[in-house]
Amino acid sequence: MNQELPFGLWLKKRRKALDLTQSALAKRVGCSTATIEKIESEERRPSLQIAELLAHALEIPSEQRAAFLRAARHLDASKGLTTISPIVTAPPKTNVPLPSTPLVGREAELDGIRHLLANADCRLITLIGPGGIGKTRLAIEFALRQRELFPDGVFFAPLASINAPELIVPALADAFAFSFSGPVEPKEQLFEHLARAQKNSALLVLDNLEHLLAPSAATTDLIVELLRRCAHLKILCTSRERLNLYGEWLFDLHGLPLPPPDNTDNLEAHSATALFLQAARRIHADFVLSDADKPALLEICRLLGGVPLALELAAAWVGMLSCRDIAREIQINIDFLAVTMRNLPERHRSLRASFDHSWRLLSDDERAALSGLSVFHGGFERAAAEQIIGAPLSLLAALVSKSLVHCAQSGRYDLHQMIWQYSLTHLQESPARAVQLRDAHSAYYLNFAAAREGALKSAGQQAAVQEFVGELDNLRAAWAWALERENFDALNAAVRAFGYFFETSGLLYEGIEYFEPLARALQTKHDTPTRQRVLGQALSQQALLCFRTGNFERATALLKRALDVLRPLGEETLLPDALIYLAVITHLNGDVERAQSLFEEALIYAQTDGDAWVVAYARYNLGYIAGLQGQYARGRAQMLEGLAIWRGLGDPHSITLGLNYLAPILVKLNCFDEARAALQEGLGLSQRTRNRWGVGTAYRHLGLVEMRDGNLAQAETFFQRALETFGDYVVGWDIAQTKIYLSELNARMGDLANAEKNLFESLRLAQEIHSAPLLLDALLELAILKTRADPPRAERWLTVIAAHPAATRETRTRAAQLRDDLAKGHARRNKERAWTLEEVLEEAQRF
């Protein structure tokens, strides 16, 4: 087409420019690979339907599609074809799903939406209309066609399976390919990221909002805040009702246009009849509309009001019924609804008629399968459908062929939201069966989670996280049902897997909330060993997540409670999680000897149980504590032992931790090159796994290495990168420690004002998380700054630090040496009273 290329050769070039194989293009189009091969080799020309699908799959701009179709069909092939280049420039970022069929009609609606969004004052549009009217399909088409207008990308967030406003933020994060990390509230993490990432303009489609609008204003408040904080973002919503927000622009969507009454000429020129015919031919390729059927088709479209979903469902029966019979069945059903079910919302009447018609024509097995599929949330895999509801592939295929179930290219199945709701009402008519299927669903997905516990600590960690994310709606439902049914055996098997998933995925707050009702339910009901086990493990996992958010105080209380619950069972293999998490917090709070004892106890139990991951964690941290006690060579050896076990397991999260925290001991041993190598490896691994905490920690310790090695400018760059990476995603310990290092660097570079500023910020953060060792480290650096200006005050502070039991061995030694040096430099005064740490802090804040 460019330079009058043969169509087949042009097609091949375009396909390769889009990085598609013949097989991948065939899947997009819905034809065989052999068909693509023959078209590219000029052995055949595509049919009109295949040509339209090719135009969509090859992303031909709308203004060039007519020329493309003429060339594809070998009609007027010499005109206008050289204007379409097979070379594809990189499009803006998008996660908008590619539809499996071309959109029929809606050109006026697409132009209307585009005209509205071209207005600078229009940043929020709501497509409103009844269920099945095609809101989602229109929004997807608009987003795909208008990508060039939004250089920062177009993004699609499906919300149909979300059942609470607080789950919208994780859905948005998934749409923007954003992962959470650290203790800051997920919404803050996401909004801060979007505010920084979007510099031009972006479009976000929020699909299926209506069920999230009541009873609270949480959803609309979230949208208002998103628009306020992301100045370059525009939002296109789909909903059955308006959001009732100031600044909301409404676009009311109606059925597809119908042909004039009694006019049966050129029916494919009208969108409603064209959609019915397209859907019928997808199911029965040899379907031909006879003259006798044309008036019946007009009646079908009139009865269904041009509602796209209803038209497609009606068309599914053309292989079994004539158009006249289909119209007759719909007429009977609509009359019934109109007479006896006037309490139904207006928007449901014609669509329910189509559903009822389809339901009556299903076999008993198909009805049982369709109602049973409503037990799933957010889609399902074939194996799950077969195991939970006993639906074999043949039944699924039958339901797919009737347009009642959708099968994605990935092989995953799902139901349109309206069909899901309709099927659920039928399942609820049989309460005993509903309970039976929900029990089976819950057991299946809790086993699904438990089976991935090992993978979450192995080289398969990222794949396991993605599997969890893909089934998160089903997992949430399974957890909630098991809790309602008090199925504590199943919950016990899955508790650790859920805890590890929430930690590695960064969904810390959601994880804390997950465990809360379970822990609350068992606080007064842990009267059996099983209930004690699940309570103890739930408290341990909840504590870990609290610790990761910086809430040391609550985490400590939860872990002590967990040990109180678990120890009486006499099952030592249940204790290591609680022991190692408590040990980490204990040493961060300054009690190194107690922490060492806890790690040693955990190591004994883990070795007995053969839990290599916990063995590695205990050995590594015992090495870290040895370093805190000044035994650097021994500490390095023990940390390397733990790291070697993690490498053997392949756990990227733990390997990253091991590489990053090895560096400070290597610095003490002056092994700068070894420290750099470890940190560069950890940095690369963190970046590949999107672990922002790991990235920030690697940058902080790279700054420490360079500062200790005398490369001050490079050190400053790394410290700033660490703080930028942490941003508002991480608070407390990590930022405080980074600022302590940075303050030391500031002082060495002569910038005393910023050194003092960073130290006061560190003091504030350390006080917030109740970390006495970190607070004393910051106070030590502040005392050093005061030695020249106010030696007596500095000496007083150093005396308190040197005597405080929570200070690390290195901090106490440095403080004592500096205090003694100061004492030698001036006449000894009368002995002062002993000051407390609280008094010193109050004095520091005043000065």
Side-chain angles (χ1 to χ4, degrees):
M1 295 160 78
N2 251 144
Q3 301 178 354
E4 300 185 7
L5 291 175
F7 179 77
L9 179 57
W10 186 96
L11 185 70
K12 184 175 182 179
K13 286 179 173 289
R14 182 78 170 192
R15 171 175 61 78
K16 290 188 174 182
L18 290 168
D19 196 25
L20 294 171
T21 63
Q22 288 181 332
S23 175
L25 179 57
K27 286 182 179 179
R28 281 192 178 192
V29 174
C31 66
S32 68
T33 304
T35 298
I36 301 298
E37 291 174 351
K38 289 179 180 180
I39 295 173
E40 289 188 351
S41 63
E42 295 288 324
E43 293 182 37
R44 63 171 287 184
R45 286 278 167 170
S47 66
L48 178 60
Q49 183 181 5
I50 292 293
E52 290 173 340
L53 293 169
L54 280 169
H56 197 80
L58 294 171
E59 302 179 14
I60 305 300
S62 57
E63 68 273 11
Q64 297 176 338
R65 290 197 177 192
F68 175 86
L69 293 176
R70 288 197 299 271
R73 301 286 292 137
H74 219 344
L75 304 171
D76 197 18
S78 62
K79 293 184 180 179
L81 304 181
T82 58
T83 62
I84 311 176
S85 172
I87 305 303
V88 183
T89 57
K93 294 176 290 186
T94 183
N95 74 320
V96 180
L98 190 66
S100 57
T101 59
L103 180 69
V104 175
R106 299 298 196 195
E107 293 299 329
E109 289 86 347
L110 289 167
D111 286 341
I113 298 169
R114 181 182 55 78
H115 178 74
L116 288 180
L117 280 177
N119 187 331
D121 294 329
C122 178
R123 295 186 59 210
L124 173 64
I125 294 181
T126 303
L127 299 182
I128 58 173
I133 202 68
K135 301 182 294 294
T136 296
R137 183 65 182 86
L138 181 62
I140 287 174
E141 188 72 18
F142 179 83
L144 288 172
R145 291 196 192 184
Q146 303 301 324
R147 281 183 292 176
E148 65 274 12
L149 297 181
F150 300 95
D152 285 338
V154 292
F155 304 93
F156 182 81
L159 304 177
S161 62
I162 299 300
N163 59 16
E166 58 265 29
L167 301 178
I168 294 177
V169 168
L172 293 180
D174 187 57
F176 287 103
F178 176 81
S179 58
F180 300 111
S181 178
V184 172
E185 182 188 4
K187 183 186 74 173
E188 290 301 315
Q189 295 188 37
L190 177 62
F191 284 16
E192 181 67 24
H193 165 75
L194 294 178
R196 290 200 308 266
Q198 293 172 1
K199 304 300 181 186
N200 297 296
S201 63
L203 176 68
L204 170 63
V205 177
L206 296 177
D207 187 43
N208 282 297
L209 267 173
E210 61 275 351
H211 61 296
L212 298 170
L213 298 178
S216 74
T219 298
T220 50
D221 289 347
L222 184 73
I223 292 172
V224 169
E225 185 176 0
L226 183 59
L227 288 168
R228 177 177 59 80
R229 295 178 60 174
C230 303
H232 301 289
L233 183 68
K234 295 198 174 191
I235 297 178
L236 177 62
C237 301
T238 71
S239 174
R240 294 185 199 174
E241 60 185 272
R242 63 181 299 172
L243 309 187
N244 284 317
L245 289 176
Y246 181 79
E248 176 190 19
W249 296 57
L250 298 179
F251 196 101
D252 200 358
L253 196 60
H254 302 283
L256 294 171
L258 307 176
D262 303 321
N263 184 348
T264 58
D265 296 332
N266 196 19
L267 291 181
E268 294 203 20
H270 302 277
S271 298
T273 47
L275 177 61
F276 181 95
L277 293 171
Q278 182 199 80
R281 288 165 183 157
R282 280 203 311 271
I283 298 166
H284 297 280
D286 57 350
F287 172 74
V288 176
L289 184 70
S290 67
D291 288 339
D293 280 330
K294 288 179 180 178
L297 175 55
L298 289 177
E299 181 67 1
I300 290 170
C301 293
R302 184 190 68 79
L303 290 171
L304 298 180
V307 175
L309 180 59
L311 289 167
E312 293 200 53
L313 290 171
W317 300 105
V318 295
M320 298 177 62
L321 299 172
S322 68
C323 289
R324 183 176 300 172
D325 289 335
I326 294 172
R328 184 181 300 114
E329 291 289 335
I330 296 173
Q331 180 68 54
I332 294 170
N333 212 34
I334 285 182
D335 286 345
F336 171 76
L337 291 172
V339 172
T340 64
M341 299 187 71
R342 292 188 181 276
N343 62 325
L344 275 175
E346 181 67 29
R347 63 183 182 271
H348 281 181
R349 291 179 184 175
S350 62
L351 194 56
R352 182 171 285 276
S354 184
F355 290 159
D356 285 341
H357 166 72
S358 297
W359 181 264
R360 288 200 314 274
L361 296 177
L362 293 175
S363 69
D364 288 342
D365 286 345
E366 288 170 340
R367 290 177 188 172
L370 186 60
S371 63
L373 291 177
S374 66
V375 78
F376 292 102
H377 299 259
F380 55 92
E381 300 292 340
R382 169 188 165 188
E386 185 160 9
Q387 183 167 333
I388 295 170
I389 68 168
L393 180 60
S394 58
L395 263 181
L396 292 177
L399 294 172
V400 169
S401 71
K402 293 175 173 62
S403 300
L404 294 168
V405 174
H406 175 253
C407 182
Q409 291 182 4
S410 64
R412 187 173 178 82
Y413 296 86
D414 60 22
L415 277 69
H416 184 281
Q417 180 67 12
M418 286 302 300
I419 297 175
W420 180 85
Q421 292 176 355
Y422 180 84
S423 301
L424 181 61
T425 63
H426 282 282
L427 180 62
Q428 290 169 337
E429 291 170 358
S430 304
R433 182 170 183 252
V435 169
Q436 174 195 348
L437 291 185
R438 287 188 174 119
D439 282 345
H441 175 274
S442 181
Y444 180 91
Y445 283 103
L446 291 179
N447 286 334
F448 173 96
R452 282 151 182 79
E453 179 185 327
L456 287 165
K457 297 177 178 179
S458 73
Q461 182 180 89
Q462 294 302 300
V465 167
Q466 289 308 309
E467 288 180 308
F468 255 83
V469 170
E471 296 291 2
L472 200 49
D473 291 326
N474 281 313
L475 289 166
R476 286 172 177 139
W479 180 279
W481 182 253
L483 187 57
E484 182 177 338
R485 298 275 285 170
E486 298 189 351
N487 186 359
F488 296 119
D489 283 327
L491 288 167
N492 183 55
V495 161
R496 294 180 83 196
F498 272 93
Y500 299 148
F501 163 71
F502 286 123
E503 184 196 11
T504 54
S505 65
L507 295 172
L508 305 177
Y509 288 97
E510 182 174 347
I512 292 170
E513 293 305 313
Y514 243 71
F515 290 115
E516 187 63 31
L518 175 58
R520 190 166 53 245
L522 287 170
Q523 287 292 356
T524 58
K525 292 183 179 180
H526 56 283
D527 51 354
T528 67
T530 294
R531 294 185 175 193
Q532 282 181 269
R533 291 187 197 99
V534 69
L535 175 59
Q537 298 216 65
L539 292 170
S540 297
Q541 297 304 320
Q542 190 180 36
L544 170 64
L545 301 174
C546 287
F547 163 61
R548 296 297 186 213
T549 66
N551 193 341
F552 288 17
E553 189 172 4
R554 187 183 181 200
T556 300
L558 289 170
L559 289 167
K560 289 179 178 178
R561 173 66 175 146
L563 290 171
D564 288 342
V565 169
L566 293 173
R567 284 193 188 276
L569 290 171
E571 299 177 35
E572 295 173 344
T573 57
L574 297 173
L575 300 176
D577 280 358
L579 289 170
I580 60 174
Y581 301 152
L582 183 58
V584 170
I585 300 174
T586 300
H587 96 68
L588 289 175
N589 284 336
D591 193 346
V592 175
E593 288 72 19
R594 173 62 177 154
Q596 181 177 347
S597 174
L598 291 168
F599 279 128
E600 288 171 345
E601 185 182 1
L603 178 59
I604 293 170
Y605 301 151
Q607 288 173 326
T608 301
D609 190 38
D611 189 333
W613 188 87
V614 176
V615 168
Y617 207 106
R619 283 186 175 171
Y620 183 91
N621 278 279
L622 284 169
Y624 187 82
I625 284 179
L628 293 177
Q629 296 170 332
Q631 302 171 44
Y632 303 125
R634 178 186 169 195
R636 174 181 176 274
Q638 287 182 294
M639 293 174 82
L640 288 174
E641 284 179 16
L643 180 56
I645 298 174
W646 279 330
R647 286 190 188 278
L649 294 172
D651 175 359
H653 194 78
S654 298
I655 293 170
T656 295
L657 181 148
L659 290 166
N660 285 347
Y661 278 90
L662 181 63
I665 277 189
L666 294 175
V667 167
K668 293 296 183 183
L669 294 169
N670 292 323
C671 299
F672 298 121
D673 289 340
E674 184 180 348
R676 289 187 183 97
L679 291 168
Q680 289 295 344
E681 182 185 353
L683 178 61
L685 184 57
S686 297
Q687 290 170 334
R688 289 193 297 276
T689 57
R690 294 163 63 183
N691 179 352
R692 283 196 305 282
W693 173 81
V695 170
T697 305
Y699 279 139
R700 179 178 71 230
H701 287 155
L702 280 167
L704 175 64
V705 171
E706 299 304 336
M707 181 170 68
R708 294 288 186 259
D709 202 22
N711 304 315
L712 303 189
Q714 186 64 46
E716 184 175 29
T717 298
F718 282 131
F719 287 141
Q720 292 298 342
R721 284 183 185 173
L723 292 173
E724 290 168 6
T725 302
F726 289 142
D728 290 332
Y729 306 132
V730 177
V731 297
W733 200 95
D734 288 289
I735 291 179
Q737 183 62 74
T738 305
K739 286 183 174 288
I740 289 172
Y741 287 154
L742 184 57
S743 71
E744 180 185 345
L745 180 69
N746 294 147
R748 291 177 65 174
M749 297 176 75
D751 187 357
L752 300 184
N754 271 321
E756 187 169 308
K757 177 182 175 182
N758 282 319
L759 286 172
F760 276 114
E761 181 65 13
S762 299
L763 283 173
R764 181 185 64 80
L765 292 170
Q767 286 177 296
E768 284 181 0
I769 62 172
H770 307 288
S771 177
L774 201 61
L775 187 149
L776 291 161
D777 286 348
L779 190 60
L780 172 61
E781 297 300 327
L782 192 59
I784 292 171
L785 289 181
K786 297 293 184 184
T787 52
R788 290 187 179 179
D790 194 342
R793 179 171 290 115
E795 183 180 351
R796 184 162 60 243
W797 294 359
L798 291 168
T799 298
V800 171
I801 297 167
H804 202 286
T808 64
R809 177 180 177 277
E810 179 184 357
T811 298
R812 286 198 302 270
T813 301
R814 286 183 65 202
Q817 182 63 53
L818 288 166
R819 178 201 59 200
D820 293 344
D821 290 344
L822 279 176
K824 295 175 185 176
H826 61 79
R828 189 172 297 275
R829 297 172 298 167
N830 293 331
K831 186 175 181 179
E832 290 190 39
R833 66 175 178 83
W835 279 56
T836 65
L837 177 60
E838 290 71 21
E839 289 174 319
V840 167
L841 289 172
E842 184 180 348
E843 183 178 51
Q845 295 293 341
R846 290 201 307 269
F847 291 93

